[in-house]
Amino acid sequence: MAKTGVICKIGPSVLNTDLAELHNESQRLLDSGADYLHLDVMDGHFVPNITFGHPVVKCLRKKISDAFFETHMMVTKPEQWIEPMADAGVDQYTFHVEPCSDVLFVCRKVREAGMKVGLALKPGTGVEAVQQYIDQADMILVMTVEPGFGGQKFMKDMMGKVQWLRQNYPDLDIEVDGGVGLTTIQDCAEAGANMIVSGTAVVGAEDPGKVIATMRDIVEGSIQKCQLER
Ligand code: DX5
Ligand code: ZN
């Protein structure tokens, strides 16, 4: 990993929890040591699946007032949901660049609405698609599965994108999402990811707190190693 000053954050994905118990499941993940919640919003167009939208996020926010909410917007029209998600109490709006005709415009609108900006890349999209927007973003999400479903196999060949981003942007927040768990976290940490989304590996664990703590140790170990070399 290149020298970095970033900090490790673990953000479990609620996608594969019992969504009828969204509040309890989210609270359980936060009580297990999660730094933020990764909320997967799917519109049935950008991805072949539907989850939930801003009305559900707003209800969740009423029950959980203090946690950091990131919405991962797997939607065809990211510009359409900025205001409703800001109103729902979202802290970071992470949207895909692929369907977006004016990325700068959406970045600006997200920021004006008071949220942080995350830019997401599908596995088939190269980093050059976000390079020109990195100054406008708070975080880049490198997807390590095709978006749409939890529980898929981690794509190790995405680590080249993470490495490139870390080498060129030492202090950028870089998130990985998809198939990340105890067996794949080392690859993510070594490549330079510092924001870790993990769904089934955390949610399905007997002791989610232990999985979160172990992943944190590994990522923090990589970060510290690089800081010592600084
Ligand atoms: C996939 C979602 C991911 C997913 C992660 O489209 O963006 O956030 O829920 O789940 P796991 O960790 O099970 O791959
Ligand atoms: Zn996601």
Side-chain angles (χ1 to χ4, degrees):
M1 200 210 285
K3 298 164 183 176
T4 178
V6 295
I7 61 168
C8 166
K9 289 182 185 157
I10 312 284
S13 161
V14 300
L15 183 62
N16 278 32
T17 62
D18 177 356
L19 291 175
E21 294 285 338
L22 184 59
H23 167 226
N24 290 333
E25 291 283 49
S26 300
Q27 194 59 56
R28 180 172 74 100
L29 294 166
L30 291 165
D31 293 344
S32 301
D35 297 293
Y36 65 103
L37 291 179
H38 178 89
L39 303 168
D40 287 304
V41 175
M42 304 184 188
D43 67 352
H45 291 275
F46 181 65
V47 289
N49 206 356
I50 293 180
T51 52
F52 48 80
H54 54 92
V56 171
V57 177
K58 190 168 186 170
C59 292
L60 185 64
R61 176 53 92 197
K62 281 190 185 139
K63 305 253 184 195
I64 299 178
S65 57
D66 50 355
F68 189 95
F69 283 6
E70 176 196 25
T71 47
H72 176 191
M73 303 301 297
M74 287 164 273
V75 301
T76 302
K77 292 184 179 171
E79 65 280 5
Q80 190 172 345
W81 312 109
I82 297 171
E83 281 302 330
M85 282 300 182
D87 177 62
V90 167
D91 299 290
Q92 178 166 315
Y93 191 88
T94 299
F95 64 98
H96 278 264
V97 295
E98 295 88 358
C100 194
S101 54
D102 191 344
V103 174
L104 284 180
F105 172 79
V106 178
C107 289
R108 202 179 74 236
K109 287 288 172 192
V110 170
R111 215 172 280 292
E112 282 172 7
M115 298 180 287
K116 286 184 150 191
V117 177
L119 295 179
L121 294 171
K122 288 170 76 170
T125 308
V127 274
E128 61 282 358
V130 286
Q131 202 177 348
Q132 60 182 308
Y133 310 121
I134 287 176
D135 291 349
Q136 311 299 319
D138 295 290
M139 189 204 83
I140 304 294
L141 162 54
V142 175
M143 289 297 299
T144 44
V145 296
E146 284 297 339
F149 302 89
Q152 301 181 79
K153 189 171 180 287
F154 177 76
M155 298 166 80
K156 190 176 174 175
D157 52 343
M158 294 299 115
M159 293 305 96
K161 290 193 235 181
V162 176
Q163 273 164 6
W164 187 89
L165 286 166
R166 178 56 70 222
Q167 269 157 16
N168 289 281
Y169 302 91
D171 296 323
L172 178 69
D173 280 326
I174 304 172
E175 185 179 63
V176 283
D177 178 17
V180 179
L182 293 178
T183 57
T184 52
I185 190 67
Q186 189 75 42
D187 289 326
C188 301
E190 279 172 11
N194 68 301
M195 293 184 69
I196 308 298
V197 177
S198 181
T200 46
V202 169
V203 169
E206 225 167 83
D207 185 349
K210 201 170 171 190
V211 177
I212 289 174
T214 305
M215 292 198 295
R216 187 191 305 290
D217 279 351
I218 292 169
V219 175
E220 282 181 347
S222 278
I223 292 173
Q224 272 169 19
K225 201 171 151 222
C226 295
Q227 285 168 343
L228 287 175
E229 287 164 5
R230 234 177 176 176

